[in-house]
Coordinates of all heavy atoms in Angstrom, one line a residue:
M1 N 0.8 -1.2 0.0 CA 0.0 0.0 0.0 C 0.9 1.2 0.0 O 1.9 1.3 0.7 CB -0.9 0.0 1.3 CG -2.3 0.0 1.0 SD -3.4 0.2 2.4 CE -3.3 -1.2 3.3
T2 N 0.4 2.2 -0.7 CA 1.2 3.5 -0.7 C 0.9 4.3 0.5 O -0.1 4.1 1.2 CB 0.8 4.3 -2.0 OG1 -0.5 4.7 -1.9 CG2 1.1 3.5 -3.2
D3 N 1.7 5.3 0.8 CA 1.5 6.1 1.9 C 0.2 6.9 1.8 O -0.5 7.1 2.8 CB 2.7 7.1 2.1 CG 4.0 6.5 2.6 OD1 3.9 5.4 3.2 OD2 5.0 7.0 2.4
E4 N -0.1 7.3 0.6 CA -1.4 8.0 0.4 C -2.6 7.1 0.7 O -3.5 7.6 1.4 CB -1.5 8.5 -1.0 CG -2.6 9.5 -1.3 CD -2.6 10.0 -2.7 OE1 -1.5 10.4 -3.2 OE2 -3.7 10.1 -3.2
T5 N -2.5 5.9 0.3 CA -3.6 5.0 0.5 C -3.7 4.7 2.0 O -4.8 4.7 2.6 CB -3.4 3.6 -0.2 OG1 -3.2 3.9 -1.6 CG2 -4.6 2.7 -0.1
E6 N -2.6 4.5 2.7 CA -2.6 4.2 4.1 C -3.2 5.4 4.9 O -3.9 5.3 5.8 CB -1.2 3.9 4.6 CG -0.7 2.6 4.2 CD 0.7 2.3 4.7 OE1 1.2 3.1 5.5 OE2 1.3 1.3 4.2
S7 N -2.9 6.6 4.4 CA -3.4 7.8 5.1 C -4.9 7.9 4.9 O -5.6 8.3 5.9 CB -2.7 9.1 4.4 OG -3.2 10.2 5.0
V8 N -5.4 7.6 3.7 CA -6.8 7.7 3.5 C -7.5 6.6 4.4 O -8.6 6.9 5.0 CB -7.2 7.4 2.0 CG1 -8.6 7.2 1.8 CG2 -6.6 8.6 1.1
V9 N -7.0 5.4 4.4 CA -7.6 4.4 5.2 C -7.6 4.8 6.7 O -8.5 4.6 7.4 CB -6.8 3.0 5.0 CG1 -7.3 2.0 6.0 CG2 -7.1 2.5 3.6
L10 N -6.4 5.4 7.1 CA -6.3 5.8 8.5 C -7.4 6.9 8.9 O -8.0 6.9 9.9 CB -4.9 6.3 8.8 CG -4.6 6.7 10.2 CD1 -4.8 5.5 11.2 CD2 -3.2 7.2 10.3
E11 N -7.6 7.8 8.0 CA -8.6 8.9 8.2 C -10.0 8.3 8.3 O -10.8 8.7 9.1 CB -8.5 9.9 7.0 CG -7.3 10.8 7.1 CD -7.3 11.6 8.4 OE1 -8.4 12.2 8.8 OE2 -6.2 11.7 9.0
I12 N -10.3 7.3 7.4 CA -11.6 6.7 7.4 C -11.8 5.9 8.7 O -12.8 6.0 9.4 CB -11.7 5.7 6.2 CG1 -11.8 6.5 4.9 CG2 -12.9 4.8 6.4 CD1 -11.7 5.6 3.6
L13 N -10.8 5.2 9.2 CA -10.8 4.5 10.5 C -11.0 5.5 11.6 O -11.8 5.2 12.6 CB -9.6 3.6 10.7 CG -9.5 2.4 9.7 CD1 -8.2 1.7 9.9 CD2 -10.6 1.5 10.0
K14 N -10.4 6.6 11.6 CA -10.5 7.6 12.6 C -12.0 8.1 12.7 O -12.5 8.3 13.7 CB -9.5 8.8 12.4 CG -8.1 8.4 12.8 CD -7.2 9.6 12.6 CE -5.8 9.3 13.0 NZ -4.9 10.4 12.7
R15 N -12.5 8.4 11.5 CA -13.9 8.9 11.4 C -14.9 7.8 12.0 O -15.8 8.1 12.7 CB -14.3 9.2 10.0 CG -14.2 10.7 9.7 CD -14.8 11.1 8.4 NE -13.7 10.9 7.4 CZ -13.9 10.5 6.2 NH1 -15.1 10.2 5.7 NH2 -12.9 10.3 5.3
I16 N -14.6 6.6 11.6 CA -15.5 5.5 12.1 C -15.4 5.4 13.6 O -16.4 5.2 14.3 CB -15.1 4.1 11.4 CG1 -15.5 4.1 9.9 CG2 -15.7 3.0 12.1 CD1 -14.9 2.9 9.2
Q17 N -14.1 5.5 14.1 CA -13.9 5.4 15.6 C -14.7 6.6 16.3 O -15.3 6.4 17.3 CB -12.4 5.5 15.9 CG -12.1 5.2 17.3 CD -10.6 5.2 17.5 OE1 -9.8 5.8 16.8 NE2 -10.2 4.5 18.5
T18 N -14.6 7.8 15.7 CA -15.3 8.9 16.3 C -16.8 8.7 16.3 O -17.5 9.0 17.3 CB -15.0 10.2 15.5 OG1 -13.6 10.4 15.6 CG2 -15.7 11.4 16.1
E19 N -17.3 8.2 15.1 CA -18.8 8.0 15.0 C -19.2 6.9 16.0 O -20.3 7.0 16.6 CB -19.1 7.6 13.6 CG -19.1 8.8 12.6 CD -19.3 8.4 11.2 OE1 -19.8 7.2 10.9 OE2 -19.1 9.2 10.3
M20 N -18.4 5.9 16.2 CA -18.7 4.8 17.1 C -18.8 5.3 18.6 O -19.6 5.0 19.3 CB -17.7 3.7 17.0 CG -17.7 2.9 15.8 SD -19.1 1.8 15.7 CE -18.7 0.6 16.9
S21 N -17.8 6.2 18.9 CA -17.8 6.8 20.2 C -19.1 7.7 20.4 O -19.7 7.6 21.5 CB -16.6 7.7 20.3 OG -16.6 8.4 21.6
D22 N -19.5 8.4 19.4 CA -20.7 9.2 19.5 C -21.9 8.3 19.7 O -22.8 8.6 20.5 CB -20.9 10.1 18.2 CG -19.9 11.2 18.1 OD1 -19.2 11.5 19.1 OD2 -19.8 11.8 17.0
M23 N -22.0 7.2 18.9 CA -23.1 6.3 19.1 C -23.1 5.6 20.4 O -24.2 5.4 21.0 CB -23.0 5.2 18.0 CG -23.4 5.7 16.6 SD -23.2 4.7 15.2 CE -23.4 3.0 15.7
R24 N -21.9 5.3 21.0 CA -21.9 4.8 22.4 C -22.5 5.8 23.4 O -23.3 5.4 24.3 CB -20.5 4.5 22.8 CG -20.1 3.0 22.8 CD -18.8 2.7 23.3 NE -18.0 2.0 22.4 CZ -17.0 2.4 21.6 NH1 -16.6 3.6 21.8 NH2 -16.5 1.6 20.7
D25 N -22.2 7.0 23.2 CA -22.7 8.1 24.1 C -24.2 8.2 23.9 O -25.0 8.3 24.9 CB -22.1 9.4 23.8 CG -20.6 9.5 24.2 OD1 -20.1 8.6 24.9 OD2 -19.9 10.4 23.7
D26 N -24.7 8.1 22.7 CA -26.1 8.2 22.4 C -26.9 7.0 23.0 O -27.9 7.2 23.7 CB -26.4 8.3 20.9 CG -26.0 9.6 20.3 OD1 -25.8 10.5 21.0 OD2 -26.0 9.6 19.0
I27 N -26.3 5.8 22.9 CA -26.9 4.6 23.5 C -26.9 4.7 25.0 O -27.9 4.3 25.6 CB -26.2 3.4 23.0 CG1 -26.5 3.2 21.5 CG2 -26.6 2.1 23.8 CD1 -25.7 2.1 20.8
S28 N -25.9 5.2 25.6 CA -25.8 5.3 27.0 C -26.9 6.3 27.5 O -27.6 6.0 28.5 CB -24.5 5.9 27.4 OG -24.4 6.0 28.8
E29 N -27.1 7.4 26.8 CA -28.2 8.3 27.1 C -29.6 7.7 27.0 O -30.4 7.9 27.8 CB -28.1 9.6 26.3 CG -29.1 10.6 26.6 CD -29.1 11.8 25.7 OE1 -28.1 12.0 25.0 OE2 -30.1 12.6 25.7
L30 N -29.7 6.9 25.9 CA -31.0 6.3 25.7 C -31.3 5.3 26.8 O -32.5 5.1 27.2 CB -31.0 5.6 24.3 CG -31.1 6.5 23.1 CD1 -30.9 5.8 21.8 CD2 -32.4 7.3 23.1
K31 N -30.3 4.5 27.2 CA -30.5 3.6 28.3 C -30.9 4.3 29.6 O -31.8 3.8 30.3 CB -29.2 2.8 28.6 CG -28.9 1.7 27.5 CD -27.6 1.0 27.9 CE -27.3 -0.1 26.9 NZ -26.0 -0.8 27.3
T32 N -30.3 5.4 29.9 CA -30.6 6.2 31.1 C -32.1 6.7 31.0 O -32.8 6.6 32.0 CB -29.7 7.4 31.2 OG1 -28.3 6.9 31.3 CG2 -30.0 8.2 32.4
R33 N -32.5 7.2 29.8 CA -33.9 7.6 29.6 C -34.9 6.5 29.7 O -35.9 6.7 30.3 CB -34.0 8.4 28.3 CG -33.2 9.7 28.3 CD -33.2 10.3 27.0 NE -34.6 10.9 26.8 CZ -35.0 11.5 25.7 NH1 -34.1 11.7 24.7 NH2 -36.2 12.0 25.6
A34 N -34.5 5.3 29.2 CA -35.4 4.2 29.3 C -35.6 3.7 30.7 O -36.7 3.4 31.1 CB -34.9 3.0 28.4
T35 N -34.5 3.8 31.5 CA -34.6 3.4 32.9 C -35.5 4.4 33.6 O -36.4 4.0 34.4 CB -33.2 3.4 33.5 OG1 -32.4 2.4 32.9 CG2 -33.3 3.1 35.0
A36 N -35.4 5.7 33.3 CA -36.2 6.7 34.0 C -37.7 6.5 33.6 O -38.6 6.6 34.5 CB -35.8 8.1 33.6
L37 N -37.9 6.1 32.3 CA -39.3 5.8 31.9 C -39.9 4.6 32.6 O -41.1 4.6 33.1 CB -39.4 5.6 30.4 CG -39.3 6.9 29.6 CD1 -39.2 6.5 28.1 CD2 -40.5 7.8 29.8
D38 N -39.1 3.6 32.8 CA -39.5 2.4 33.5 C -39.9 2.7 34.9 O -40.9 2.2 35.5 CB -38.4 1.3 33.5 CG -38.2 0.6 32.2 OD1 -39.1 0.8 31.3 OD2 -37.2 -0.1 32.0
E39 N -39.0 3.5 35.6 CA -39.3 3.9 37.0 C -40.6 4.7 37.1 O -41.4 4.5 38.0 CB -38.1 4.7 37.6 CG -36.9 3.8 37.8 CD -35.7 4.6 38.2 OE1 -35.7 5.8 38.2 OE2 -34.7 3.9 38.5
H40 N -40.8 5.6 36.1 CA -42.0 6.5 36.1 C -43.2 5.6 35.9 O -44.2 5.8 36.6 CB -41.9 7.5 35.0 CG -43.0 8.5 35.0 ND1 -43.2 9.4 36.0 CD2 -44.0 8.7 34.1 CE1 -44.3 10.1 35.7 NE2 -44.8 9.7 34.6
M41 N -43.2 4.7 35.0 CA -44.3 3.8 34.7 C -44.6 3.0 35.9 O -45.8 2.7 36.2 CB -44.0 2.9 33.5 CG -44.0 3.6 32.2 SD -45.7 4.3 31.8 CE -46.6 2.8 31.6
G42 N -43.6 2.5 36.6 CA -43.8 1.7 37.8 C -44.6 2.5 38.9 O -45.5 2.0 39.5
G43 N -44.2 3.8 39.0 CA -44.9 4.7 39.9 C -46.3 4.9 39.5 O -47.2 4.9 40.4
L44 N -46.6 5.1 38.3 CA -47.9 5.2 37.8 C -48.8 4.0 38.0 O -50.0 4.1 38.4 CB -48.0 5.6 36.3 CG -47.5 7.0 35.9 CD1 -47.4 7.1 34.4 CD2 -48.3 8.0 36.5
I45 N -48.2 2.8 37.8 CA -48.9 1.6 38.1 C -49.3 1.5 39.5 O -50.4 1.1 39.9 CB -48.1 0.4 37.6 CG1 -48.1 0.4 36.0 CG2 -48.7 -0.9 38.1 CD1 -47.1 -0.6 35.5
I46 N -48.4 1.8 40.4 CA -48.7 1.8 41.8 C -49.8 2.7 42.2 O -50.7 2.4 43.0 CB -47.4 2.1 42.7 CG1 -46.4 0.9 42.5 CG2 -47.7 2.3 44.1 CD1 -45.0 1.2 43.1
Q47 N -49.8 3.9 41.6 CA -50.8 4.9 41.9 C -52.2 4.4 41.4 O -53.2 4.6 42.1 CB -50.5 6.3 41.2 CG -49.4 7.0 41.9 CD -49.1 8.3 41.2 OE1 -49.6 8.6 40.1 NE2 -48.2 9.1 41.8
V48 N -52.2 3.9 40.2 CA -53.5 3.4 39.7 C -54.0 2.2 40.6 O -55.2 2.2 40.9 CB -53.3 2.9 38.2 CG1 -54.5 2.1 37.7 CG2 -53.1 4.1 37.3
S49 N -53.1 1.4 41.0 CA -53.5 0.3 41.8 C -54.1 0.8 43.2 O -55.1 0.3 43.6 CB -52.3 -0.6 42.1 OG -52.6 -1.6 43.0
G50 N -53.4 1.8 43.7 CA -54.0 2.4 45.0 C -55.3 3.0 44.7 O -56.2 2.9 45.6
N51 N -55.5 3.7 43.6 CA -56.8 4.3 43.3 C -57.9 3.3 43.2 O -59.0 3.4 43.6 CB -56.7 5.2 42.1 CG -56.0 6.5 42.3 OD1 -55.8 6.9 43.4 ND2 -55.5 7.1 41.2
N52 N -57.6 2.2 42.5 CA -58.5 1.1 42.3 C -58.9 0.5 43.7 O -60.1 0.2 43.9 CB -58.0 0.0 41.4 CG -57.9 0.4 40.0 OD1 -58.6 1.4 39.6 ND2 -57.1 -0.3 39.2
N53 N -58.0 0.4 44.5 CA -58.2 -0.2 45.9 C -59.2 0.8 46.6 O -60.1 0.3 47.3 CB -56.9 -0.4 46.6 CG -57.1 -1.1 47.9 OD1 -58.1 -1.8 48.1 ND2 -56.2 -0.9 48.8
R54 N -58.9 2.1 46.6 CA -59.8 3.0 47.2 C -61.2 3.0 46.7 O -62.2 3.1 47.4 CB -59.2 4.4 47.1 CG -58.0 4.7 47.9 CD -57.4 6.0 47.8 NE -58.4 7.0 48.4 CZ -58.4 8.3 48.1 NH1 -57.5 8.8 47.3 NH2 -59.3 9.1 48.6
L55 N -61.3 2.9 45.3 CA -62.6 2.9 44.7 C -63.4 1.6 45.1 O -64.6 1.6 45.4 CB -62.5 2.9 43.2 CG -62.1 4.3 42.6 CD1 -61.8 4.2 41.1 CD2 -63.3 5.3 42.8
D56 N -62.7 0.5 45.2 CA -63.3 -0.8 45.7 C -63.8 -0.6 47.1 O -65.0 -1.0 47.4 CB -62.3 -1.9 45.6 CG -62.0 -2.4 44.2 OD1 -62.7 -2.0 43.3 OD2 -61.0 -3.1 44.0
R57 N -63.1 0.0 47.9 CA -63.5 0.2 49.3 C -64.7 1.1 49.4 O -65.7 0.9 50.1 CB -62.4 0.7 50.2 CG -61.3 -0.3 50.5 CD -60.4 0.2 51.6 NE -60.1 1.6 51.6 CZ -58.9 2.1 51.2 NH1 -57.9 1.3 50.8 NH2 -58.7 3.4 51.2
M58 N -64.7 2.2 48.6 CA -65.8 3.1 48.6 C -67.1 2.5 48.0 O -68.2 2.7 48.5 CB -65.5 4.4 47.8 CG -64.5 5.3 48.5 SD -64.2 7.0 47.9 CE -64.4 6.9 46.2
D59 N -66.9 1.6 47.0 CA -68.0 0.9 46.4 C -68.7 0.0 47.5 O -69.9 -0.1 47.6 CB -67.6 0.0 45.2 CG -68.7 -0.6 44.5 OD1 -69.7 0.1 44.2 OD2 -68.6 -1.8 44.2
E60 N -67.8 -0.7 48.3 CA -68.4 -1.6 49.4 C -69.1 -0.7 50.4 O -70.2 -1.1 50.9 CB -67.3 -2.4 50.0 CG -66.7 -3.5 49.1 CD -67.8 -4.5 48.8 OE1 -68.6 -4.9 49.6 OE2 -67.8 -4.9 47.6
R61 N -68.5 0.4 50.8 CA -69.2 1.3 51.7 C -70.5 1.8 51.2 O -71.5 1.8 52.0 CB -68.3 2.5 52.1 CG -67.0 2.0 52.9 CD -66.1 3.2 53.1 NE -66.7 4.2 54.0 CZ -66.2 5.4 54.2 NH1 -65.1 5.7 53.7 NH2 -66.8 6.2 55.1
L62 N -70.6 2.2 49.9 CA -71.8 2.7 49.3 C -72.9 1.6 49.3 O -74.0 1.8 49.7 CB -71.5 3.2 47.9 CG -72.7 3.8 47.2 CD1 -73.3 5.0 48.0 CD2 -72.3 4.2 45.8
K63 N -72.5 0.4 49.0 CA -73.4 -0.8 49.0 C -74.0 -1.0 50.4 O -75.2 -1.2 50.6 CB -72.8 -2.0 48.5 CG -72.6 -2.0 47.0 CD -71.9 -3.3 46.6 CE -71.5 -3.3 45.1 NZ -70.8 -4.5 44.7
R64 N -73.1 -0.9 51.4 CA -73.5 -1.1 52.8 C -74.5 0.0 53.2 O -75.6 -0.2 53.9 CB -72.3 -1.1 53.7 CG -72.7 -1.6 55.1 CD -71.4 -1.7 56.0 NE -70.6 -0.5 56.1 CZ -69.3 -0.5 55.9 NH1 -68.6 -1.6 55.6 NH2 -68.7 0.7 55.9
I65 N -74.2 1.3 52.8 CA -75.1 2.4 53.1 C -76.5 2.2 52.5 O -77.6 2.4 53.1 CB -74.5 3.7 52.7 CG1 -73.3 4.0 53.6 CG2 -75.5 4.9 52.7 CD1 -72.5 5.2 53.1
E66 N -76.5 1.8 51.2 CA -77.7 1.6 50.5 C -78.5 0.4 51.1 O -79.8 0.6 51.2 CB -77.5 1.2 49.0 CG -77.0 2.4 48.2 CD -76.6 1.9 46.8 OE1 -76.3 0.8 46.5 OE2 -76.6 2.8 45.9
R67 N -77.9 -0.6 51.6 CA -78.6 -1.7 52.3 C -79.2 -1.2 53.6 O -80.4 -1.5 53.9 CB -77.7 -2.9 52.6 CG -77.6 -3.9 51.5 CD -76.9 -5.2 52.0 NE -75.7 -4.9 52.7 CZ -74.4 -4.9 52.1 NH1 -74.3 -5.1 50.8 NH2 -73.4 -4.7 52.9
R68 N -78.5 -0.4 54.3 CA -79.0 0.1 55.6 C -80.2 1.0 55.4 O -81.1 1.0 56.2 CB -77.9 0.8 56.4 CG -76.9 -0.1 57.1 CD -76.0 0.7 57.9 NE -75.2 -0.2 58.7 CZ -74.3 0.2 59.6 NH1 -74.1 1.5 59.7 NH2 -73.6 -0.7 60.3
L69 N -80.1 1.8 54.4 CA -81.2 2.8 54.1 C -82.3 2.1 53.2 O -83.3 2.8 52.9 CB -80.7 4.0 53.4 CG -79.7 4.9 54.3 CD1 -79.2 6.0 53.4 CD2 -80.4 5.4 55.5
E70 N -82.1 0.9 52.9 CA -83.1 0.2 52.1 C -83.3 0.9 50.8 O -84.4 1.0 50.3 CB -84.4 -0.1 52.8 CG -84.2 -0.9 54.1 CD -85.5 -1.1 54.8 OE1 -86.5 -0.5 54.5 OE2 -85.4 -1.8 55.8
L71 N -82.2 1.3 50.1 CA -82.3 2.0 48.8 C -82.0 1.0 47.7 O -82.0 1.5 46.5 CB -81.3 3.2 48.8 CG -81.5 4.3 49.8 CD1 -80.4 5.3 49.8 CD2 -82.9 4.9 49.6
T72 N -81.6 -0.2 48.0 CA -81.3 -1.1 46.9 C -82.5 -1.7 46.2 O -83.6 -1.7 46.8 CB -80.4 -2.3 47.4 OG1 -81.2 -2.9 48.5 CG2 -79.1 -1.8 48.0
D73 N -82.4 -2.0 44.9 CA -83.5 -2.6 44.2 C -83.7 -4.0 44.7 O -82.8 -4.8 45.1 CB -83.1 -2.7 42.7 CG -83.0 -1.4 42.0 OD1 -83.7 -0.4 42.6 OD2 -82.3 -1.2 41.0
A74 N -85.0 -4.4 44.8 CA -85.3 -5.8 45.2 C -85.1 -6.7 44.1 O -85.9 -6.8 43.2 CB -86.7 -5.8 45.7
K75 N -84.0 -7.4 44.1 CA -83.7 -8.4 43.0 C -83.4 -9.7 43.6 O -82.9 -9.9 44.6 CB -82.5 -7.9 42.2 CG -82.8 -6.7 41.3 CD -81.7 -6.4 40.4 CE -82.0 -5.2 39.5 NZ -81.0 -4.9 38.6

């Protein structure tokens, strides 16, 4: 190989190395963001579960009140 060819190949390899480094940084950032999204979704699921639990308890209380006041349909 001539010196000129080696120089061109070396420049191409340096560009590839720089681009690979940039891609590594981008992937690292994406992993961090994906982790944050997972944690956020987990928190939302816990909140929804808590709300469903509260609604279930209120539904039971409402049914008990209706029975005591005899407001339920005779079925």
Side-chain angles (χ1 to χ4, degrees):
M1 241 191 285
T2 65
D3 286 341
E4 187 176 320
T5 306
E6 287 179 11
S7 177
V8 170
V9 170
L10 185 60
E11 286 301 315
I12 291 171
L13 290 174
K14 284 180 181 178
R15 260 190 276 145
I16 291 172
Q17 189 176 26
T18 300
E19 289 176 10
M20 290 287 289
S21 178
D22 291 345
M23 286 175 28
R24 254 188 235 108
D25 293 342
D26 289 345
I27 289 171
S28 178
E29 181 184 344
L30 288 172
K31 285 181 178 179
T32 301
R33 293 177 71 183
T35 299
L37 284 171
D38 286 346
E39 291 173 354
H40 184 68
M41 287 298 294
L44 289 174
I45 289 169
I46 289 170
Q47 287 179 352
V48 168
S49 176
N51 287 342
N52 287 341
N53 188 23
R54 289 180 64 197
L55 286 171
D56 289 344
R57 288 193 323 254
M58 288 193 328
D59 188 46
E60 289 300 318
R61 291 175 66 190
L62 182 60
K63 286 178 184 177
R64 191 172 57 228
I65 291 169
E66 287 175 339
R67 271 195 310 268
R68 283 186 172 181
L69 295 176
E70 298 177 357
L71 297 174
T72 57
D73 293 334
K75 289 185 179 182

